[in-house]
Amino acid sequence: MNENTGQQPPTVGLPAPPLSDADLFAHCLTDDGLTWLGSLLDSGRYEVRAPEHAALLCVAWLHRAGQNVAAGELVEELRPLASEVRFAPYPAEHAVPAPDAVHRLTVGEAAAALARRVPRPAVEAQREALTVWRPFEDELLAHWLRFEADPQAVTRAEGAALLARYRELAAAHTRCTEHLNPKSNTAVLLHGLQEAVAGRELPPGQAGPVRRAVASMVAGRGRPGSAEHTRLRREQARQAALPAHHDLAALVLRRLAPFAVDRGTTDVAALTGPVTAEEARRSGLPAGAEIPPPVRGPVEATLTAPLSVLLQTGAIPSAEVLGEVAAQLIAAHTAQSYADGALGRLVAAVYRAGRPHGYPLWWSREHHERIASLPWVRAVAPWGPDPSVAARAMLRMLAEVCVEAFPGTGLPNLLARALSGLVPLAGLPVPLHTEPFAHAYSTMAYPDLLPAARAAAELLSGTAYERYHGIDYAEVLRLADARDHQGFARLCAERAGRPGRSLAVDAAVIEQARILTTFNLATLVRYAGVRPRTGWDGAARAAFAAAVRRAATPAQSGYAWRQLLFHLSLCDADEQARALAWIDDRAARMPTRAAAGVAAPLAALHRATRHDRGSAGPDVFPAASGSTPAARRSPPSGTVDG
């Protein structure tokens, strides 16, 4: 029985196992089998672990929609492989997620991360030091303090008992080895104690180190029994009593056990709450112990919710993570466009299951790289959105989310790679390019870069972006017209001030390629109609905030500054003036040192935008067509140079 719903999995209508793939295929085409598949469609309580597991569900949907001819054609297309491939779903204890619900990690992935939590030697050694060796050291120190106060009050039997206790502890507790260091205070006092127990008076060469060890220990921790010492030991005992992360990870792993491993979760709080009284009784962990962030993290990443919720809660903290879930988002966006809810949920499950395995026929990489080309998805496509319209909408939606949520980052490589598969379907004339930009052993840029550079030149020519970065867009267009891939790579190297360096591996040269192409943003704005809901002035303000963020690295600041120029260049005159006024006000309120660091690039920003605001002054960036590569490098200050 499902611990989450209290319901039995829907297996009614299936013959008794075991069933071969061929037998299961044949049964699903009977009246009982189609009824069973129909019940799964209605309840959503099925698992599509691989895309092919949805095939017979598509047959059932077509059958009950009255599309018997289409259903029959799909069955005949599947039949030759019915003995080799499972085309039926797996019954599940709870429904598949809604089409618009996405997650960063599955329960199985989170469980694997928790299972890798093992005892850390350094942490366990520290715990042993606090619970075993510090109390023993206190006993040893107290013994020598009594000896210093009155040597006659300390018996040799007491010393012998301390030595015996030390030997027992050393044999049983081997993680902490500080006491084995002959120069440590503990070792000095133990050596002196051995002499005293043997009845030998300590020679001056040994008595001195003992006195210094006692004084050092008292200075560091206080006299045993004093208020200072008691507070220290109480705090150390509290720290030592905290449960180990691997023990708490094992507890959370048990909480995850009832959930399907290929899905996310909807109630993260219940999985990451404090240790309950019942769990404490079973595990020995203290009741009420909090689950620490390193253990909560993988579980929180399983939250299944609409994208807006994941962004608000921080479950998607960066554009790179957005790229990780892009495939799910594409599935969700596609499935939401289906008129029938059950069909939309099924198509979303197909996309979530990932790409098909290397089976023959329609699984060939050359002809069917996208899930949309699978026969069962293709068979129900007439009841879904127009592929070209849907692909263009998905491109626009994901790019706008990236700009709005992470305006200082730009399009990350992972997201660009995910979106590139939509470009042919959307009918965009320019492909999206991804890194690397060139072959490691070639002096030529990859072909995709020149169309992107052309799109950027056509969009940004005459704007602040061109003037600030000192770009000769006429030269870029000439290279694009001539399809001069080698010349483009050479231009990037010259702009970076690193002639002869490779576009494949040199970071400065690669950054110049990003600047010249805007790393796909110009393509998406020009051909997919991308525009953030906050407007380009809102994106510019947010990019500036990202560039001057205290925790930002120099590289992050450089990327954010590049995005600021892009966003600002797409503003009209009024929007640009408002954004610059906001930026000036924000800069004026920055700490002195931070304001000084951004002063030079901010002044260059104003010079670059002065022409856009109608200034009749001379061109303030004559270096745009200058002859020296160094004159064309950007940004002008190392403070925000990426």
Side-chain angles (χ1 to χ4, degrees):
M1 180 172 290
N2 178 15
E3 295 184 22
N4 303 307
T5 64
Q7 298 175 331
Q8 294 288 345
T11 57
V12 178
L14 277 180
L19 282 177
S20 68
D21 291 334
D23 291 340
L24 183 58
F25 183 87
H27 173 76
C28 286
L29 300 179
T30 65
D31 289 342
D32 287 344
L34 290 171
T35 299
W36 174 69
L37 291 171
S39 70
L40 295 185
L41 284 170
D42 292 332
S43 67
R45 294 168 61 204
Y46 55 82
E47 290 184 22
V48 176
R49 300 176 187 174
E52 58 268 23
H53 298 160
L56 287 171
L57 283 172
C58 290
V59 170
W61 188 89
L62 290 168
H63 176 74
R64 74 179 189 179
Q67 304 297 319
N68 294 327
V69 173
E73 291 175 349
L74 178 56
V75 167
E76 294 309 311
E77 194 169 1
L78 300 174
R79 196 183 299 279
L81 290 176
S83 61
E84 303 176 33
V85 180
R86 179 185 175 111
F87 289 115
Y90 290 88
E93 297 176 336
H94 45 274
V96 295
D100 65 341
V102 296
H103 53 266
R104 183 177 175 184
L105 295 180
T106 65
V107 167
E109 291 167 336
L114 293 174
R116 290 193 291 269
R117 284 268 172 190
V118 296
R120 296 174 57 188
V123 173
E124 295 308 309
Q126 179 68 11
R127 191 186 305 277
E128 182 181 277
L130 295 178
T131 58
V132 176
W133 293 109
R134 295 295 178 266
F136 174 78
E137 290 167 2
D138 290 341
E139 294 181 46
L140 187 60
L141 176 60
H143 179 88
W144 278 106
L145 287 172
R146 292 199 309 272
F147 180 84
E148 286 184 348
D150 182 4
Q152 303 301 321
V154 179
T155 66
R156 290 166 61 183
E158 291 175 328
L162 264 180
L163 288 175
R165 177 166 166 72
Y166 167 74
R167 287 190 288 270
E168 292 174 0
L169 293 177
H173 303 280
T174 59
R175 290 190 175 94
C176 186
T177 59
E178 181 183 358
H179 59 93
L180 299 178
N181 182 359
K183 295 183 179 180
S184 67
N185 290 332
T186 302
V188 169
L189 296 188
L190 284 170
H191 189 59
L193 186 60
Q194 290 174 341
E195 296 296 310
V197 168
R200 294 187 291 269
E201 185 175 349
L202 296 181
Q206 192 170 7
V210 167
R211 286 193 297 271
R212 287 193 294 273
V214 170
S216 174
M217 294 172 76
V218 170
R221 64 188 70 181
R223 297 179 68 89
S226 67
E228 176 188 6
H229 180 272
T230 301
R231 282 195 301 271
L232 175 64
R233 290 294 181 250
R234 184 182 297 120
E235 175 60 22
Q236 290 177 340
R238 185 192 67 80
Q239 294 177 7
L242 293 175
H245 285 194
H246 66 274
D247 289 330
L248 291 170
L251 172 68
V252 176
L253 199 55
R254 290 193 289 273
R255 292 176 177 178
L256 286 173
F259 293 87
V261 297
D262 62 337
R263 303 180 186 180
T265 59
T266 56
D267 190 2
V268 169
L271 293 168
T272 57
V275 178
T276 66
E278 177 62 20
E279 289 172 333
R281 185 184 65 80
R282 293 181 178 180
S283 66
L285 295 168
E290 298 287 339
I291 306 299
V295 177
R296 288 202 312 268
V299 182
E300 290 172 344
T302 67
L303 176 63
T304 299
L307 176 61
S308 59
V309 174
L310 298 186
L311 290 169
Q312 291 170 4
T313 60
I316 296 182
S318 68
E320 287 74 16
V321 175
L322 180 64
E324 293 177 10
V325 300
Q328 294 182 63
L329 293 170
I330 292 170
H333 203 270
T334 300
Q336 285 179 292
S337 302
Y338 280 80
D340 183 84
L343 182 57
R345 183 165 53 182
L346 174 60
V347 172
V350 177
Y351 276 92
R352 287 192 183 101
R355 292 194 176 274
H357 305 298
Y359 295 128
L361 299 180
W362 55 75
W363 280 283
S364 64
R365 182 176 178 182
E366 294 78 7
H367 302 294
H368 302 288
E369 291 187 336
R370 291 187 294 273
I371 294 292
S373 297
L374 295 171
W376 46 95
V377 178
R378 195 174 64 242
V380 298
W383 292 269
D386 177 85
S388 177
V389 173
R392 189 177 292 267
M394 282 185 280
L395 277 171
R396 186 168 57 250
M397 181 271 292
L398 285 170
E400 287 177 350
V401 167
C402 185
V403 171
E404 292 166 7
F406 313 106
T409 303
L411 205 69
N413 202 52
L414 191 61
L415 182 56
R417 187 174 292 120
L419 296 183
S420 62
L422 295 173
V423 168
L425 190 60
L428 267 63
V430 176
L432 298 186
H433 60 278
T434 59
E435 295 185 24
F437 294 149
H439 193 281
Y441 303 104
S442 173
T443 59
M444 296 192 300
Y446 282 148
D448 290 348
L449 262 68
L450 283 176
R454 169 182 283 282
E458 293 171 345
L459 180 69
L460 298 169
S461 181
T463 66
Y465 191 92
E466 178 187 33
R467 290 189 293 277
Y468 184 95
H469 289 301
I471 301 173
D472 184 353
Y473 272 136
E475 172 66 7
V476 172
L477 289 172
R478 186 191 68 79
L479 293 171
D481 289 339
R483 299 182 181 180
D484 188 351
H485 308 300
Q486 192 168 21
F488 184 79
R490 185 167 53 250
L491 174 63
C492 293
E494 290 174 354
R495 284 179 52 82
R498 303 171 74 87
R501 301 302 294 269
S502 171
L503 181 57
V505 296
D506 190 287
V509 180
I510 291 171
E511 176 61 13
Q512 289 302 317
R514 294 193 190 107
I515 289 173
L516 292 178
T517 64
T518 71
F519 200 54
N520 298 304
L521 282 177
T523 298
L524 291 169
V525 170
R526 184 167 173 77
Y527 297 109
V530 168
R531 178 178 174 82
R533 289 173 299 176
T534 56
W536 291 113
D537 56 330
R541 290 192 293 269
F544 179 80
V548 299
R549 186 169 51 93
R550 179 175 299 180
T553 66
Q556 290 170 336
S557 291
Y559 297 152
W561 201 263
R562 167 159 48 87
Q563 298 309 116
L564 164 64
L565 262 295
F566 180 84
H567 303 327
L568 206 59
S569 296
L570 297 183
C571 295
D572 61 32
D574 291 339
E575 291 173 337
Q576 193 175 94
R578 288 195 300 269
L580 286 169
W582 183 92
I583 289 171
D584 288 341
D585 179 69
R586 174 72 181 266
R589 293 185 284 110
M590 291 171 62
T592 303
R593 184 175 179 181
V598 80
L602 189 55
L605 177 64
H606 276 282
R607 291 196 299 272
T609 56
R610 192 172 299 150
H611 179 80
D612 294 351
R613 301 197 302 277
S615 170
D619 186 358
V620 295
F621 273 85
S625 56
S627 59
T628 58
R632 297 195 294 269
R633 295 175 67 185
S634 58
S637 169
T639 305
V640 293
D641 189 357

